[in-house]
Amino acid sequence: MKGITNRSARTILNIGSSALALALPVAAQAQDAPQEAAEEAAPTNSEIIVTGSRVRGEAPVGAAVTALGRKDIETSSAVTVDRMIREVPQVFDLGVSENSRGQSGGSGNITYGNSVNLRGIGPYATLIIVDGHRVTNNSRSIDPSTIPSLGVERIEIIADGASAIYGSDAVAGVVNIIPRRSLDGGEVLARAGISSRGDFHETTLGAALGKVFDGGQIMVAYEHVERSNLSGDDRDFFTSDQRQSGGGDYRIVRCAPGNINANGTTYAIPASGLTQANAGGLVAGSLNKCDELTNQDLIPRQKYDSVNSTGRLELNDWLEVFYDGFYSKRTFYRNSAFSNARLTVPQTNAFFVRPAGFAGNSYTLDYNFRNDLPTNDSSGSAQSWQITPGIRAKLPGDWEAEALFGYGKTRDFSGSYFGVNNPALNAALASSDPATAFDPYGLGRTSQAVLDTIANQVFLAPTNGRLRTYEGRINGSLFALPGGDVKLAAGYERQDFIVALGSARGGPTTPIAFRNFGRKVDSFYAEAYVPVFGPDNATAFFQRLEFNAAVRHDKYSDVGGTTNPKFGVNLVPVDGVKLRASYGTSFRAPTIPEIYGNSNNIFGQSYQNPAGGAPLQGYALSGPNLDLKPETATSWSVGLDFDPAPNLHFGITYWDVNYKNQVLANLSNLAILGTEAQYAGTDIILRGTEAATRVQQLLAQGVTLAGGSFPGGSAANVALFVDGRSQNLGVSITRGIDFIGSWRTEIGAEDALSFNVSGTYLTKYRVALTPSAPLIDRLNFIFNPLKFRARASVTWDHGPFSARVLANHVNGYFNNLTAGGQSIGSYTPVELNLTYRIGDRNATGFFDKGMTLSLEVRNLFDIDPPYVNLAPSGNGSGGYDASASDPIGRLFAVSLRKSF
């Protein structure tokens, strides 16, 4: 499949820019209306469709919608849309995350993107859409950062099962990124931030132009964001020796200088190096110990360039055309730790040193290549673009018909170029010629030519995807009841997705081999809204009563069909009080990489030892599972919205999700041994001879070792095996309470205080890691959904000046992955935001409109993440929990925002 060409990538820019060029000559004369008023509603003659319902003009019945509007976006300390969404308490950083890849879904995140995991239920259980329709993806997940924040009108989040409305993936809920259609003028943004320690920085530059005119609108936004890397070497809590914190000593013995192991007797190689001349100084039983992950990034370096555009044009009084589109390219670079291995050194080695009393022909030597080989860093990019034009026609009555066509492409690439060539290494270890031999004794005598042949293994992983979508839908009133009009929305959708999963492992000239897959989905849906009581027939305790019923059938070309209903009810017994409830079923089709595997290889990895001490060397299998089935879920909720006074609002929701047949993948789960007992009888984890036999069987079948090396160079020495393929293993029951509260009060002519609080409190999270295993309580355990997350803020508006203090809270929880367990403290970083507005935003002139200056301090008190007694991991965490805290520390940022 062809990749994205420059011509294709410029398609959206050409469309949006050309249309904008036609509209802008009169922009300077069209500033009579205040911009704030223009931003309040999208310029369209149609009623707004709110996320969670297809019925025009009606909010979702039975469910609550969390909305982040332009003000929330502008005051957020986050620099990309994905990070803004992660500020919502219901969003957990588990799975697809740039800094925490150790949970299910993390192994496929080789381009270090971010996605959304509502309630922590699953890495792919939240559907992300743009303006109500699906968008192209890398066949695994969607990164919301593809849309620039300047081009977003609002973000709507519904944390409720919605497969009856939107189809697959909407198990935990839906995130709808609604692009800007109301910008009438222009806006530029510049922002720069740096950590107080000077080791991390981020910058943003962007611009948006829009024109609202009689009968239409046009908008284009562009944003460039850069975030530096954060090295684990710059954070003292990311260390293997955690004894000073009351934890374990997780240092390893594969060091530089290394350790000889001769028939079970160890000898630490001295720092000055080792030759036969000083071999008499070797001390039997001595060991060098060291950090395994020196040089590894906690956060990779990322650069984002994103643009989006929208447009609408009324052709006559009953027909209009519209479109939205985007293009995004994100590049990344992640520094890796130095490679290490247990070498077998034969006596034929040109530099061989024989310890006193040793008469054997070879011994093993634990070694780190930090002084010999470059780190095997990974770098690459994620590109995507899509254009979705549509046509909307008014029909008799209040009926409308719409047709949309979406076309988009994705091209992801990840590469590393300095992997260890094990055959070349073993040949150099066996060589008796100093010119071609490898020196493992710390004296740097290996020739550069030999080192170049040892560090030459590449891993190239491109993913090319193409999506075509077709949608047709109708919307209108069927008939009138005393409580209002009964409305219907119905439609058909088709998705045609193809993906090419590429891989090259081996020498520098290894060609990339692609595996091509396709999936087609045909979907039919209908949704009815029935108002029983409304303004015209309200009565005591029934000011408003409305019902909603939806059903959707999806037929997949590869995993079969499914039908899912949903029902909702709202009751307003008295003004200011609304009771609501919902019930529905949802499903998620397994992704193509879950079915066919990202690769078919064995990877050597270091696993957290639950008994304490240095990590254990194990070997994990990545590969296909053609028997995967869709996940299914049943969810219900009840809630109350209470508005006792003007500007005072409270909302509470109790929810329940019963999730079955969950797909779990343990390729990146380096803490899996802490739950080993739950995998009994599944062959997911094998030890001893069973592990060695399984690895040898896989090698005989043609599966190759793609990462690391076998102990002593032989698979017969393997003592731990993990089946990391995707499997229908999990069952979970999750229950909890969401709450929100807001109050604004005027304390003077130009003074106002605003108070906001929101959070989620889980009451149950019970999970069975296999279909036959009992349900086990995993609520508030590390790398699982935590019991309590909340966010609270106080804002003081004083004329042109605003000050906001915001606190994010994560409760304490339990680390069950270490010997004896550990209670982990809570984490509550505080943010401060000071804003000053110069000029009048409602003015008409470029200079008169002024600008907004902001100073932000993130993590105001520079608190470190709570200490977590875990060995540092190549997939995140270690000394801290990357899924529940931020390693950056205090960060200062200044921003300038100019409207015109």
Side-chain angles (χ1 to χ4, degrees):
M1 180 170 52
K2 295 181 180 179
I4 300 174
T5 64
N6 290 333
R7 181 180 303 171
S8 298
R10 289 195 298 265
T11 299
I12 299 169
L13 287 173
N14 290 340
I15 293 173
S17 299
S18 298
L20 190 63
L22 296 175
L24 284 181
V26 294
Q29 288 79 32
Q31 298 292 329
D32 295 334
Q35 182 161 332
E36 288 183 342
E39 293 276 7
E40 288 178 359
T44 174
N45 292 332
S46 301
E47 295 172 276
I48 294 174
I49 294 179
V50 181
T51 305
S53 176
R54 299 279 193 177
V55 177
R56 189 176 73 252
E58 302 297 338
V61 176
V65 177
T66 299
L68 304 177
R70 279 305 307 167
K71 185 175 182 180
D72 299 303
I73 293 169
E74 292 176 5
T75 58
S76 172
S77 63
V79 295
T80 53
V81 171
D82 57 298
R83 293 174 178 85
M84 294 173 188
I85 296 170
R86 273 171 33 188
E87 293 177 342
V88 176
Q90 288 84 356
V91 177
F92 288 72
D93 195 16
L94 295 170
V96 182
S97 169
E98 66 178 348
N99 62 324
S100 176
R101 300 172 62 242
Q103 293 74 51
S104 185
S107 60
N109 187 23
I110 57 176
T111 60
Y112 295 90
N114 293 303
S115 194
V116 180
N117 187 350
L118 280 169
R119 309 203 188 285
I121 288 176
Y124 306 126
T126 300
L127 175 63
I128 300 172
I129 55 180
V130 174
D131 212 14
H133 60 75
R134 289 181 180 259
V135 293
T136 187
N137 62 80
N138 61 8
S139 75
R140 301 174 182 91
S141 61
I142 295 172
D143 189 334
S145 69
T146 55
I147 309 297
S149 65
L150 277 173
V152 176
E153 189 91 51
R154 65 187 185 277
I155 302 166
E156 294 180 344
I157 303 169
I158 179 166
D160 197 19
S163 286
I165 311 297
Y166 297 107
S168 179
D169 306 338
V171 175
V174 177
V175 174
N176 188 10
I177 303 170
I178 300 172
R180 242 169 151 173
R181 292 186 180 273
S182 59
L183 179 62
D184 196 10
E187 186 175 332
V188 292
L189 168 67
R191 182 185 186 276
I194 187 169
S195 66
S196 59
R197 307 176 200 188
D199 46 24
F200 176 85
H201 65 267
E202 55 189 19
T203 58
T204 302
L205 294 172
L209 295 173
K211 174 61 182 168
V212 177
F213 51 90
D214 187 21
Q217 59 84 210
I218 187 76
M219 189 282 301
V220 176
Y222 166 77
E223 217 161 66
H224 173 80
V225 177
E226 293 190 18
R227 302 182 85 231
S228 72
N229 71 306
L230 178 66
S231 174
D233 295 350
D234 293 329
R235 293 295 178 268
D236 55 10
F237 49 77
F238 190 72
T239 182
S240 294
D241 189 355
Q242 300 173 13
R243 289 175 293 178
Q244 288 188 345
S245 300
D249 183 359
Y250 299 114
R251 291 177 297 169
I252 63 172
V253 297
R254 297 185 296 277
C255 302
N259 296 283
I260 295 172
N261 190 320
N263 290 337
T265 301
T266 61
Y267 302 89
I269 295 175
S272 59
L274 181 65
T275 66
Q276 197 61 53
N278 65 342
L282 290 174
V283 178
S286 60
L287 279 174
N288 291 315
K289 291 187 176 183
C290 59
D291 277 305
E292 181 177 15
L293 297 180
T294 301
N295 193 68
Q296 177 178 287
D297 280 344
L298 303 182
I299 297 174
R301 185 171 78 237
Q302 305 251 23
K303 293 184 180 180
Y304 303 76
D305 285 284
S306 54
V307 60
N308 78 318
S309 180
T310 63
R312 184 183 69 87
L313 179 64
E314 294 179 5
L315 301 179
N316 52 43
D317 60 356
W318 61 273
L319 187 66
E320 67 178 32
V321 293
F322 57 90
Y323 79 91
D324 66 80
F326 66 88
Y327 168 79
S328 173
K329 182 176 182 180
R330 175 178 55 83
T331 61
F332 73 92
Y333 191 98
R334 185 182 192 251
N335 292 299
S336 298
F338 294 96
S339 300
N340 61 69
R342 171 165 287 185
L343 311 176
T344 297
V345 185
Q347 64 182 9
T348 59
N349 181 273
F351 309 109
F352 186 79
V353 176
R354 186 179 297 277
F358 176 68
N361 296 325
S362 66
Y363 51 67
T364 61
L365 194 155
D366 290 309
Y367 192 73
N368 187 292
F369 295 96
R370 64 177 302 139
N371 298 319
D372 307 288
L373 306 179
T375 54
N376 192 27
D377 301 340
S378 58
S379 60
S381 63
Q383 294 184 73
S384 61
W385 66 265
Q386 180 163 321
I387 182 73
T388 306
I391 186 169
R392 182 181 297 116
K394 292 183 179 179
L395 303 178
D398 66 349
W399 284 83
E400 285 188 358
E402 288 184 355
L404 294 87
F405 169 72
Y407 185 86
K409 287 187 176 182
T410 300
R411 183 172 184 173
D412 285 8
F413 177 81
S414 176
S416 55
Y417 304 90
F418 298 105
V420 174
N421 184 332
N422 288 310
L425 174 62
N426 291 331
L429 286 168
S431 175
S432 58
D433 182 354
T436 59
F438 180 78
D439 171 20
Y441 299 104
L443 291 171
R445 293 169 289 184
T446 310
S447 72
Q448 188 60 48
V450 171
L451 295 177
D452 290 343
T453 63
I454 292 175
N456 70 352
Q457 297 298 281
V458 301
F459 168 42
L460 310 178
T463 298
N464 299 333
R466 189 215 68 197
L467 175 69
R468 288 196 183 106
T469 62
Y470 310 85
E471 298 186 36
R473 51 203 186 205
I474 58 172
N475 214 313
S477 299
L478 291 173
F479 53 87
L481 291 177
D485 290 342
V486 175
K487 299 180 179 181
L488 174 71
Y492 165 78
E493 296 179 7
R494 180 178 176 86
Q495 302 172 53
D496 186 348
F497 182 66
I498 59 176
V499 62
L501 303 177
S503 179
R505 294 182 184 272
T509 60
T510 302
I512 297 175
F514 282 94
R515 296 175 296 149
N516 296 285
F517 305 99
R519 168 178 284 176
K520 294 180 174 61
V521 187
D522 290 288
S523 306
F524 299 88
Y525 67 85
E527 180 184 357
Y529 166 78
V530 182
V532 178
F533 288 95
D536 293 337
N537 68 335
T539 186
F541 303 110
F542 287 96
Q543 298 296 309
R544 190 177 186 94
L545 176 63
E546 53 196 4
F547 295 92
N548 180 284
V551 64
R552 180 180 175 117
H553 177 77
D554 298 272
K555 184 178 181 181
Y556 281 71
S557 59
D558 54 350
V559 296
T562 179
T563 300
N564 293 276
K566 184 173 183 178
F567 306 94
V569 58
N570 287 343
L571 170 63
V572 178
V574 295
D575 289 340
V577 176
K578 180 169 74 173
L579 305 173
R580 46 185 164 76
S582 70
Y583 170 87
T585 64
S586 300
F587 85 105
R588 185 185 77 83
T591 67
I592 288 175
E594 284 179 321
I595 298 173
Y596 299 103
N598 293 303
S599 63
N600 192 23
N601 296 104
I602 300 170
F603 295 88
Q605 305 185 122
S606 296
Y607 288 86
Q608 172 78 23
N609 185 351
L616 302 177
Q617 185 69 12
Y619 296 84
L621 172 64
S622 169
N625 183 354
L626 304 183
D627 296 324
L628 276 186
K629 301 295 188 296
E631 302 172 339
T632 60
T634 300
S635 58
W636 60 268
S637 68
V638 293
L640 166 69
D641 293 313
F642 182 41
D643 297 274
N647 300 320
L648 178 60
H649 172 76
F650 298 101
I652 188 169
T653 302
Y654 180 84
W655 50 269
D656 179 294
V657 180
N658 190 334
Y659 203 0
K660 298 179 180 179
N661 229 26
Q662 280 185 267
V663 176
L664 298 180
N666 287 304
L667 182 61
S668 61
N669 184 2
L670 303 184
I672 189 174
L673 300 182
T675 54
E676 184 173 2
Q678 297 174 47
Y679 290 97
T682 65
D683 292 338
I684 300 294
I685 301 174
L686 298 176
R687 298 259 195 174
T689 56
E690 287 186 324
T693 299
R694 178 63 173 140
V695 171
Q696 290 170 320
Q697 290 173 344
L698 292 169
L699 293 173
Q701 295 168 8
V703 181
T704 59
L705 178 65
S709 58
F710 292 125
S714 173
N717 297 324
V718 170
L720 173 63
F721 169 80
V722 175
D723 191 338
R725 297 175 300 169
S726 298
Q727 317 225 16
N728 287 114
L729 292 176
V731 176
S732 67
I733 298 175
T734 313
R735 296 172 184 165
I737 299 169
D738 293 341
F739 61 89
I740 187 171
S742 63
W743 180 45
R744 179 178 174 86
T745 179
E746 305 291 335
I747 58 176
E750 291 188 340
D751 287 275
L753 286 176
S754 299
F755 300 86
N756 291 276
V757 63
S758 62
T760 186
Y761 183 89
L762 272 65
T763 60
K764 175 178 285 190
Y765 180 69
R766 297 177 65 84
V767 61
L769 294 181
T770 68
S772 58
L775 285 167
I776 297 175
D777 183 14
R778 279 294 171 263
L779 176 61
N780 227 38
F781 283 76
I782 190 170
F783 303 143
N784 286 281
L786 303 182
K787 180 178 290 185
F788 182 55
R789 295 168 59 93
R791 180 177 173 89
S793 68
V794 178
T795 304
W796 175 41
D797 292 313
H798 177 70
F801 174 78
S802 295
R804 183 184 70 163
V805 177
L806 182 148
N808 292 286
H809 177 75
V810 177
N811 69 263
Y813 52 102
F814 190 74
N815 173 16
N816 64 317
L817 302 178
T818 189
Q822 176 207 6
S823 294
I824 300 172
S826 61
Y827 180 63
T828 310
V830 175
E831 297 180 12
L832 174 66
N833 186 300
L834 305 176
T835 301
Y836 189 77
R837 291 172 291 277
I838 302 172
D840 184 0
R841 187 176 183 180
N842 296 330
T844 58
F846 178 87
F847 294 102
D848 294 337
K849 293 199 72 153
M851 64 185 68
T852 300
L853 300 175
S854 295
L855 169 66
E856 306 163 18
V857 186
R858 202 160 64 207
N859 195 346
L860 179 64
F861 302 109
D862 198 24
I863 62 172
D864 281 340
Y867 169 66
V868 177
N869 187 13
L870 282 180
S873 164
N875 288 328
S877 301
Y880 83 111
D881 180 357
S883 69
S885 58
D886 186 349
I888 295 174
R890 183 191 292 123
L891 182 139
F892 297 97
V894 293
S895 63
L896 183 151
R897 191 180 298 268
K898 173 77 174 112
S899 299
F900 56 91

